[in-house]
Amino acid sequence: MNETNFTENSYEQAIIALFEQMGYRYECGYDIERDPRNPLYEEVLMASLRRVNPGMTEYALGELVKQLKEIDGADLVAQNETFTDYLQNGIPVEDKIGGEYRTVNAQLIDYEHPEKNDFRIINQWTVEQFATKRCDLIVMVNGFPLVVMELKSPSNEGVGEDDAYNQIKAYQKQIPSLFVYNAFNVISDMLTTRAGTLTAKQERYMEWKTKDGEYESTTVADYTTFFQGIFQKARLLDLIQNFLCFDKADGKAWKILGAYHQYFAVNKALQRTFNAVKGDGKIGVFWHTQGSGKSFSMLFFTHLVIKHFAESTILVVTDRKDLDQQLYGQFGRCKEFLRTEPVNASSRSELIELLKNRQSGGIIFTTIQKFEEGNEPLSTRKNIIVMTDEAHRSQYGDEHWDTKTETMKKGQALKMREALPNASFIGFTGTPISNRDKDTTEVFGNYIDIYDMTQAVEDGATRPVYYESRVIKLDLDNDVVRQLDTEFNALLDAGATDEQVMRAQKDVSRLEQVLSND
């Protein structure tokens, strides 16, 4: 055996040892008697399905296995989408009891009790279809080959993660039956280890840089952090059930796997939601930098809210019509994952009707401007959860000077809070909240999670931005300055307080406004 093979084998054994430490059972594929044309570990599958579905008859079990072996679909992605739905939500099967037929929903995994499932790490798993291929490592859960791993030698400089990715893509063409049951894949050359779905391009394979949710500002995380971060049993099941979805657009379906920063932040937000709905309604602010997948974080959060707060109506609020349509489209493309069809309120009256005509459930999209159009509450229901996207850009303190109406007026966020006095609020943003914006924390609460530009660039989620400093010569127009002084004096004469005028002066004299003005 040459040094390259020995090194790759040693790395494989090190990963197997890691999985054994996490409670997985190890088996070598060579030692398992099976038909290589069947990618399922059928002996383990049958035992697991009986355990996960106590009381299921042998007739129903037979029907269930038959359906699992004959999953319909126009192509591999469609078949995988069907199986993913079965995996997350169960599969309807016909049961025969006392001569009568009835439909039961069979579960493939017991998500509530992870210890009742069968977890195995298997190397050298052979599958025959258009070719005969032997996979480096397979993660089996209840006999399903959910994760395919392709390893490359750390000591061979001519081979790396590019080759591992290309190998996975070749397997998808040569033995597609294996990938019908695939949750996601792993490619690794020990130096870099990444996870991605069967539709993901190589650049969308992402590292997992934390074991416990504390972000590590490192360019590359240790492979043990990756495997222990993802494959702890309960966490793997949580990822499969709640952080895998299909995004459909232009006749194509893309399988999405939540990244590590999304996974931990969304679960933090869920825990804060449990506290907020019982308390002051302030879930908090979710700050993940632009380009880090914030819309999918909102989607995963919504999925979990629907699951844990089935009676709640979710109101998604944006501050621009184009953002409203963009986010509404994103949720609509993933409606199967949400198991709910979102609706869009085009006017304040329609928003009122949508809230009035339902006492629970549903996802409603609207813009924050609709809350400015009246003073009466839109709904006094407590089971409303409001998600805002970048709405703090439109928010001010208790009052601000409106140049259009030339009056003092309340910030939109406070108007929204008054319109839904008993709702709970969470704010999603891609930019940090400025110190002067007290209104945002007043409405939403403190930060839930921060994933800033520095960490996103380290992770490759966001491209770095470079800038060149240059001096701009600014001259104040004295005539405009005198005109402004006249306007502010007129405000005082009209009854405005000194404090209100000072606040209005600050609003129109901020440096960023001066620099960005034509």
Side-chain angles (χ1 to χ4, degrees):
M1 181 180 292
N2 63 39
E3 183 182 351
T4 298
N5 287 337
F6 175 77
T7 305
E8 185 172 326
N9 181 63
S10 297
Y11 182 38
E12 183 179 291
Q13 293 303 316
I15 293 173
I16 290 170
L18 263 179
F19 275 83
E20 288 184 305
Q21 290 170 16
M22 292 187 287
Y24 286 68
R25 178 176 171 179
Y26 163 66
E27 284 191 88
C28 178
Y30 293 138
D31 300 330
I32 301 171
E33 291 188 13
R34 50 177 283 269
D35 181 356
R37 292 169 296 181
N38 180 6
L40 300 168
Y41 193 161
E42 193 155 344
E43 180 183 342
V44 173
L45 174 70
M46 299 294 284
S48 299
L49 291 176
R50 288 191 182 97
R51 186 173 57 256
V52 171
N53 299 281
M56 179 179 286
T57 66
E58 289 301 305
Y59 174 85
L61 185 64
E63 290 296 304
L64 174 57
V65 173
K66 182 180 177 182
Q67 279 187 250
L68 288 169
K69 287 182 175 180
E70 300 174 357
I71 293 178
D72 292 330
D75 54 23
L76 174 59
V77 175
Q79 289 176 300
N80 184 264
E81 183 181 1
T82 298
F83 175 72
T84 302
D85 178 51
Y86 294 162
L87 198 61
Q88 292 174 332
N89 304 300
I91 172 171
V93 295
E94 189 177 62
D95 201 355
K96 183 180 180 182
I97 300 175
E100 293 186 359
Y101 292 95
R102 63 173 184 171
T103 300
V104 297
N105 195 50
Q107 299 300 314
L108 307 186
I109 287 178
D110 188 336
Y111 292 103
E112 298 299 318
H113 309 93
E115 71 281 358
K116 291 187 178 180
N117 300 286
D118 185 291
F119 294 84
R120 302 189 187 214
I121 181 76
I122 300 177
N123 64 341
Q124 307 307 314
W125 185 257
T126 300
V127 179
E128 291 180 7
Q129 196 171 359
F130 303 121
T132 300
K133 295 296 173 181
R134 190 171 61 246
C135 303
D136 289 341
L137 286 171
I138 299 282
V139 174
M140 290 273 184
V141 179
N142 291 349
F144 296 107
L146 296 187
V147 182
V148 177
M149 297 189 199
E150 184 63 23
L151 311 179
K152 294 302 175 185
S153 170
S155 67
N156 189 341
E157 294 183 3
V159 177
E161 65 170 272
D162 292 359
D163 301 275
Y165 174 79
N166 291 333
Q167 189 72 68
I168 289 284
K169 300 310 286 185
Y171 284 165
Q172 288 179 199
K173 294 179 180 178
Q174 297 162 336
I175 46 172
S177 61
L178 174 67
F179 292 88
V180 170
Y181 309 100
N182 180 259
F184 58 91
N185 303 303
V186 171
I187 56 176
S188 179
D189 60 2
M190 190 173 184
L191 177 63
T192 306
T193 306
R194 304 177 187 273
T197 69
L198 82 166
T199 64
K201 296 179 180 179
Q202 188 175 348
E203 60 267 23
R204 299 309 303 164
Y205 271 62
M206 300 297 289
E207 293 181 276
W208 193 277
K209 291 190 173 183
T210 180
K211 298 175 185 178
D212 56 8
E214 293 299 320
Y215 299 151
E216 301 174 14
S217 293
T218 52
T219 303
V220 179
D222 185 86
Y223 75 93
T224 59
T225 298
F226 177 91
F227 288 111
Q228 291 176 346
I230 290 182
F231 289 100
Q232 295 173 39
K233 292 179 179 179
R235 184 170 298 156
L236 175 62
L237 298 190
D238 192 11
L239 269 170
I240 290 169
Q241 186 183 30
N242 300 310
F243 293 85
L244 273 178
C245 68
F246 284 81
D247 183 14
K248 298 177 182 177
D250 301 324
K252 285 190 174 183
W254 300 93
K255 191 175 186 180
I256 307 299
L257 170 66
Y260 78 94
H261 61 277
Q262 294 170 318
Y263 174 82
F264 287 106
V266 167
N267 274 312
K268 286 180 192 175
L270 179 66
Q271 292 307 311
R272 290 274 284 270
T273 306
F274 282 110
N275 296 329
V277 295
K278 298 174 184 175
D280 61 4
K282 297 179 183 180
I283 300 171
V285 176
F286 190 111
W287 169 24
H288 279 205
T289 192
Q290 293 171 350
S292 62
K294 182 162 54 69
S295 61
F296 278 108
S297 295
M298 297 178 77
L299 186 82
F300 294 136
F301 175 72
T302 301
H303 167 80
L304 284 170
V305 168
I306 292 170
K307 178 179 174 182
H308 293 281
F309 302 89
E311 297 297 311
S312 290
T313 297
I314 299 166
L315 187 61
V316 186
V317 180
T318 62
D319 68 342
R320 291 206 317 260
K321 187 172 286 187
D322 59 334
L323 279 180
D324 180 60
Q325 291 300 318
Q326 181 182 327
L327 202 55
Y328 174 63
Q330 178 71 79
F331 274 53
R333 295 196 304 270
C334 300
K335 62 186 177 183
E336 288 86 358
F337 176 65
L338 297 171
R339 304 182 80 77
T340 304
E341 180 90 45
V343 295
N344 200 325
S346 58
S347 64
R348 180 181 173 89
S349 59
E350 185 180 359
L351 178 59
I352 293 171
E353 284 302 309
L354 285 169
L355 290 172
K356 185 187 297 183
N357 292 337
R358 70 175 74 214
Q359 293 304 307
S360 65
I363 305 171
I364 302 170
F365 280 76
T366 191
T367 55
I368 198 169
Q369 287 78 10
K370 292 181 178 62
F371 295 97
E372 283 195 301
E373 298 167 10
N375 295 312
E376 74 285 354
L378 295 184
S379 176
T380 57
R381 282 169 46 201
K382 189 174 177 63
N383 60 342
I384 294 175
I385 294 177
V386 181
M387 297 167 48
T388 71
D389 181 29
E390 302 289 8
H392 72 271
R393 289 186 303 217
S394 305
Q395 297 162 13
Y396 303 87
D398 292 337
E399 291 182 300
H400 68 280
W401 179 252
D402 184 6
T403 55
K404 290 183 179 179
T405 61
E406 296 188 345
T407 59
M408 301 300 294
K409 65 189 298 186
K410 290 182 179 179
Q412 291 170 327
L414 288 175
K415 293 279 286 184
M416 179 175 67
R417 181 91 204 203
E418 291 174 355
L420 302 165
N422 299 316
S424 296
F425 293 80
I426 178 172
F428 286 78
T429 180
T431 54
I433 297 166
S434 65
N435 291 330
R436 68 177 181 80
D437 190 359
K438 307 296 184 187
D439 192 21
T440 296
T441 52
E442 179 66 28
V443 172
F444 300 107
N446 296 319
Y447 282 119
I448 297 168
D449 191 80
I450 297 173
Y451 184 72
D452 61 19
M453 181 68 75
T454 301
Q455 186 63 55
V457 171
E458 291 279 10
D459 293 346
T462 303
R463 293 190 178 277
V465 176
Y466 302 97
Y467 69 92
E468 179 182 346
S469 177
R470 58 194 178 97
V471 176
I472 302 173
K473 189 174 184 299
L474 291 175
D475 290 314
L476 291 176
D477 187 323
N478 289 325
D479 289 338
V480 174
V481 172
R482 281 192 292 271
Q483 185 180 345
L484 280 171
D485 287 338
T486 302
E487 291 294 332
F488 287 129
N489 288 331
L491 282 175
L492 287 170
D493 294 338
T497 66
D498 290 340
E499 183 182 354
Q500 289 173 328
V501 171
M502 286 178 64
R503 188 177 298 163
Q505 286 175 324
K506 286 182 180 179
D507 281 345
V508 300
S509 63
R510 287 198 302 274
L511 187 61
E512 61 265 31
Q513 288 198 356
V514 174
L515 292 175
S516 63
N517 194 284
D518 290 340

